[in-house]
Amino acid sequence: MPRRTTRAVLALTAAASVAAALLIAPPAFGGAEQTPPPPQFQDVSVHDPSIVASGDDIWVFGSHGASARTTDLMNWEQYTVDLSQNADNALFDDVRTELADTFAWARTSTLWAADVIQLPDGRFAMYYNACEGSRPLSALGLATSDSVDGPYENQGILLKSGMTGESENPGEIYDARKHPNTVDPDAFYDADGKLWMVYGSYSGGIFLLEMDAATGTPLPGQGYGTHLVGGNHSRIEGPTIQYDAQTGYYYLYLSFGGLDAAGGYDVRVARSKNVAGPYLDAQGNDMREVKADPSLPIFDDASVQPFGVKLMGGHLFGRELGDPGTGAGTGYVSPGHTSWYVDDAGRRFMVFHSRFPGTGEMHQVRVHQMWMNADGWPVVSPMRYAGETAGKVRRADVAGTWQLVNLGKEITAAAAQAAPVTLDTTGRITGSVRGSWKLTGQHTATLSIDGERYVGVFAPIWDPDLKAWSTGLTAVSASGVTVWARRSVERSGQTAVDAVLADIALSGTAAVDLDLPTSGTGGTTIAWSSDDAAIAADGTVTRPEVGEPDAHVTLSATATNGTATGTRVFEVVVPARTAGVIAGEWTFAGDLSDSSGSAGTGIPTGARVDAAGGTVSYVADGVSGSALHLDGSTGVRLPDGLLRGRSYSVSVWLRPDQLTAYTSAFFAARDADHWVSLVPRGHSGVGGSAMVWSGTAWYDAGTGADLPLDDWSHLAYVVDDGSVTVYVDGERRFQGTGFPDVLTTDSGLFAVGVNWWDAPYQGDVDELTVWNSALSPQDVAELAAAPTR
């Protein structure tokens, strides 16, 4: 059998020994005397990565034609990118021509999660797939190549789904509640060297097919194959199966939830002694019965979230002001769609993609080392693989302060937050939880946490906040709950005071209220004082009036920890208000002309901003006179170059007939990657509230306000040199900093009701005004007081 440690059967060695130690005493690494050097990482973006080895190279292939390679699982090189970024994909001579039938069937221009495996004759088989997206209209096919990097030659479509009429199961009409969506394939070898493929996403669940290893195609007569998990549109997808010779189990890894930052994606596992199941979780639940409740809304998560052993999910090892590191801390958002890899030394790894706290939809490939615990369940390192080889754990290595995060069983976008605990030398656990811990082998451990038994390992980790080798803990309970933990550093006294003061970051200018921190590491407290009323001690900013000079304010932060204290002074300029400079004003008094005379007349569009055609109409009962009516199939293109710069304001009245997520009421863009959208109904990450959204930095300015149907609401947002404030009916509902600098060109695109991608706005629009300046709260309040309603 060809060498392919990610899918071919291997005689696995015993689980690697793991050691742990505190920062001041580096962990033991495989018995070696020397601690490894600090790791270097080079990251890539491949969504839904599937891993395969070819010689010394290790490759990942994923969605949208993206791929990358590495030799050490840390330093990756991008090979191909998303088809939307570069349609000339090196994996095929001409991907559009080669896979034309697939694109036509799925009614899409992109590909979903590809999987590559090496066949016994040395060829590489790529299982490609495509899906329409809003329904399971999908095709899954096979392409082969003599080389892992292609070019691949299409061998044809193997499976289809979403059809009207007879399905791949002869005599059965396709039913998305019980038949699979034919995407997310994963080919693997069983203990006897037979080739199989597991696949599926949402819809009828996860299915298994036995394959012909000589051709890479399914053996005849199986239809869709054997049902393993899911159904009734439950959000379960991205399956992969690993056979582990040490435990004798097949492990079925799955992703539950939605893949985006607000989707609550997480990684779960079940196991079986037989490749075709049944697969059971730690509580003995048969995963074939895990499916959504058909009486509940589609994509019901509540019915499926109690099941499977949850190995990974959204979490945050947070940091306080003055702690080592930067930002909010270290963690993941919606990690999932796993693959697995076993190296020549028998070390196990989990490979997946993840998003990250505060970075929106940006995603990268991550690799974590993985072990089998004493109960035969996988446990995953809490930190990314950094080249570690485990050694012996000593009791003194474990005793100390830790951050512990309980990943729970919920499918949720809310990150599980780490909390402080202490593991003492007597085996007690105190702090945010109570219990005990015990070493049971060189690196293995059993813990009791709030009455629940957890079994796992202590692992050497590279801590990105400490920038040092440290110690991690990973363990899973009999109810399928994982806990992760890392050693923490406590600062106190003058060390804490100095670190807190050094960590405070204030901009040299302040146009909006400041969020002044009042606490930091080790129980440090911070008191603020100001020498000017332009900035109050609580951070409230009052800008000088138009024509007055800018205010120059001295802010003082005094930090105290025990008897230690210190002060840091900040000089901040509060700019005076500037007079509004109108860039354009559309009252929609029966036409699309600019009543200010500053810009020009709008032009009706089709259902997208760059689509020709479309007509608009007007209603008589606007906010003031008549108003524009959009019927959900058209929009208005405003003059190009309407706004430019880092300070501008937008004010508009809206009366929606219906609300759809992502729809733009007002859209401004430099290009497809740099845009600002006023969205009457935002995505689930902001609870569906009205928001200002900017991509692809994915800045989410959610207001928490749900706009009423068939009634007028006033929306406004003000961008001022990196800050953004959003108002609903004159009330400030969002304020933030770090807003992307999007409008940097004189040829920017502007529109009402449409963008390049989403459903057009349906409803009425009135009194749209834009300014090349930042309005004050008083200005916005006046605009929200309509002359008539």
Side-chain angles (χ1 to χ4, degrees):
M1 183 175 297
R3 176 182 178 268
R4 184 173 188 234
T5 51
T6 54
R7 298 294 187 274
V9 178
L10 295 177
L12 298 182
T13 62
S17 297
V18 178
L22 186 54
L23 179 66
I24 55 175
F29 291 85
E33 295 290 332
Q34 300 297 320
T35 299
Q40 300 293 319
F41 299 106
Q42 183 66 42
D43 295 318
V44 292
S45 291
V46 178
H47 209 266
D48 310 317
S50 173
I51 196 164
V52 60
S54 176
D56 293 331
D57 289 332
I58 304 165
W59 287 75
V60 287
F61 297 85
S63 287
H64 314 300
S67 61
R69 58 188 169 195
T70 183
T71 58
D72 62 5
L73 300 176
M74 297 185 293
N75 291 279
W76 292 86
E77 177 188 359
Q78 196 86 38
Y79 182 63
T80 55
V81 297
D82 191 309
L83 287 169
S84 67
Q85 298 171 299
N86 185 356
D88 186 14
N89 189 280
L91 297 175
F92 293 87
D93 286 333
D94 184 339
V95 67
R96 297 293 177 200
T97 300
E98 197 82 24
L99 305 185
D101 289 348
T102 297
F103 290 124
W105 173 266
R107 300 179 189 175
T108 184
S109 60
T110 193
L111 296 169
W112 282 25
D115 178 66
V116 174
I117 189 170
Q118 191 171 16
L119 299 175
D121 64 5
R123 290 180 302 150
F124 289 88
M126 173 186 288
Y127 295 95
Y128 61 83
N129 54 109
C131 180
E132 189 270 343
S134 66
R135 54 180 172 153
L137 186 65
S138 303
L140 189 160
L142 170 67
T144 58
S145 173
D146 292 331
S147 176
V148 68
D149 57 351
Y152 284 82
E153 181 179 351
N154 187 25
Q155 304 301 319
I157 295 174
L158 305 179
L159 296 169
K160 292 179 179 178
S161 61
M163 63 279 286
T164 300
E166 189 168 309
S167 69
E168 299 284 3
N169 288 349
E172 293 184 9
I173 301 299
Y174 183 81
D175 183 343
R177 296 167 299 176
K178 67 177 184 179
H179 292 135
N181 184 14
T182 56
V183 296
D184 291 2
D186 173 73
F188 66 96
Y189 293 98
D190 69 10
D192 299 319
K194 293 180 180 179
L195 183 65
W196 300 79
M197 183 178 71
V198 62
Y199 70 98
S201 169
Y202 289 37
S203 299
I206 308 303
F207 286 72
L208 180 73
L209 284 168
E210 187 173 358
M211 310 292 281
D212 182 344
T215 63
T217 60
L219 294 178
Q222 299 178 85
Y224 284 124
T226 301
H227 173 258
L228 300 181
V229 183
N232 294 331
H233 303 291
S234 52
R235 299 204 299 174
I236 302 173
E237 64 179 11
T240 182
I241 292 179
Q242 172 191 14
Y243 176 70
D244 189 283
Q246 178 190 337
T247 65
Y249 280 105
Y250 293 92
Y251 294 90
L252 171 59
Y253 300 95
L254 301 159
S255 293
F256 278 41
L259 61 85
D260 62 8
Y265 224 32
D266 63 48
V267 179
R268 307 198 182 207
V269 68
R271 69 187 185 187
S272 174
K273 287 290 186 179
N274 300 301
V275 66
Y279 285 85
L280 310 179
D281 66 11
Q283 295 173 292
N285 296 302
D286 187 336
M287 299 297 285
R288 293 175 299 185
E289 304 305 316
V290 176
K291 58 188 68 176
D293 185 337
S295 69
L296 294 178
I298 195 169
F299 305 146
D300 156 45
D301 287 338
S303 297
V304 300
Q305 68 181 11
F307 304 103
V309 175
K310 185 176 175 182
L311 298 179
M312 182 185 303
H315 69 281
L316 181 67
F317 286 105
R319 64 176 294 276
E320 291 187 281
L321 198 69
D323 281 344
T326 58
T330 296
Y332 289 149
V333 173
S334 289
H337 203 111
T338 64
S339 186
W340 56 270
Y341 176 72
V342 181
D343 70 9
D344 291 337
R347 294 182 300 177
R348 306 170 179 86
F349 298 92
M350 178 175 284
V351 184
F352 56 98
H353 72 250
S354 185
R355 290 155 175 81
F356 306 93
T359 61
E361 299 298 332
M362 186 275 290
H363 56 83
Q364 293 177 340
V365 174
R366 285 294 182 267
V367 179
H368 284 222
Q369 195 165 175
M370 183 168 59
W371 301 268
M372 295 294 171
N373 73 5
D375 292 338
W377 287 105
V379 290
V380 181
S381 174
M383 294 292 168
R384 70 186 301 185
Y385 173 66
E388 68 270 10
T389 301
K392 181 178 174 58
V393 173
R394 297 157 297 192
R395 194 174 189 80
D397 296 335
V398 177
T401 58
W402 292 72
Q403 284 183 302
L404 182 140
V405 59
N406 184 315
L407 296 177
K409 293 294 284 286
E410 297 82 6
I411 299 172
T412 175
Q417 301 288 323
V421 299
T422 298
L423 278 62
D424 69 22
T425 55
T426 68
R428 290 189 308 163
I429 302 175
T430 57
S432 61
V433 299
R434 299 282 174 169
S436 61
W437 66 274
K438 179 172 65 175
L439 289 171
T440 56
Q442 283 199 335
H443 64 285
T444 56
T446 300
L447 304 94
S448 174
I449 300 175
D450 290 342
E452 185 95 7
R453 176 179 174 269
Y454 290 81
V455 181
V457 301
F458 288 100
I461 60 170
W462 174 260
D463 191 308
D465 291 326
L466 299 178
K467 293 190 177 356
W469 289 103
S470 185
T471 300
L473 165 69
T474 175
V476 67
S477 73
S479 60
V481 174
T482 289
V483 292
W484 280 355
R486 69 172 182 178
R487 291 298 300 264
S488 59
V489 173
E490 283 193 344
R491 287 173 168 166
S492 60
Q494 197 63 48
T495 300
V497 166
D498 293 344
V500 166
L501 292 175
D503 204 15
I504 297 174
L506 290 183
S507 172
T509 60
V512 296
D513 293 348
L514 298 174
D515 184 12
L516 300 179
T518 58
S519 64
T521 188
T524 301
T525 60
I526 309 167
W528 291 86
S529 63
S530 170
D531 71 346
D532 193 297
I535 304 180
D538 64 358
T540 301
V541 173
T542 304
R543 295 177 65 178
E545 295 298 324
V546 176
E548 294 182 359
D550 296 344
H552 293 261
V553 184
T554 299
L555 283 176
S556 299
T558 299
T560 303
N561 188 289
T563 60
T565 188
T567 299
R568 184 178 173 194
V569 173
F570 301 87
E571 302 295 335
V572 182
V573 176
V574 179
R577 292 174 54 199
T578 57
V581 180
I582 289 182
E585 182 177 29
W586 289 266
T587 61
F588 303 117
D591 59 31
L592 300 177
S593 64
D594 165 26
S595 59
S596 74
S598 303
T601 301
I603 302 172
T605 72
R608 299 291 183 266
V609 69
D610 52 1
T615 59
V616 299
S617 61
Y618 301 89
V619 294
D621 58 338
V623 174
S624 178
S626 66
L628 173 70
H629 177 73
L630 299 175
D631 64 4
S633 65
T634 188
V636 174
R637 178 81 174 259
L638 299 177
D640 289 352
L642 180 62
L643 294 172
R644 177 178 178 172
R646 292 176 58 83
S647 294
Y648 53 92
S649 306
V650 177
S651 166
V652 67
W653 286 89
L654 300 175
R655 182 170 62 184
D657 294 340
Q658 69 175 37
L659 293 169
T660 53
Y662 311 115
T663 289
S664 294
F666 178 81
F667 185 69
R670 182 169 86 224
D671 54 45
D673 293 323
H674 303 87
W675 47 263
V676 181
S677 185
L678 178 61
V679 181
R681 182 178 182 180
H683 54 61
S684 59
V686 297
S689 68
M691 70 183 297
V692 171
W693 198 25
S694 184
T696 52
W698 304 115
Y699 194 104
D700 297 342
T703 63
D706 296 325
L707 300 191
L709 296 177
D710 304 317
D711 197 6
W712 287 105
S713 299
H714 181 263
L715 278 76
Y717 68 94
V718 178
V719 176
D720 191 4
D721 197 26
S723 68
V724 63
T725 309
V726 188
Y727 301 85
V728 179
D729 291 330
E731 178 186 354
R732 186 178 69 194
R733 301 300 296 260
F734 179 90
Q735 181 173 288
T737 58
F739 195 73
D741 186 13
V742 171
L743 303 181
T744 61
T745 175
D746 289 328
S747 58
L749 175 148
F750 299 85
V752 177
V754 286
N755 58 33
W756 280 304
W757 313 280
D758 302 302
Y761 173 81
Q762 182 172 330
D764 302 326
V765 184
D766 204 2
E767 301 298 316
L768 169 65
T769 312
V770 295
W771 286 262
N772 273 309
S773 57
L775 297 183
S776 71
Q778 298 96 313
D779 295 330
V780 174
E782 292 173 4
L783 290 165
T788 60
R789 288 188 75 173

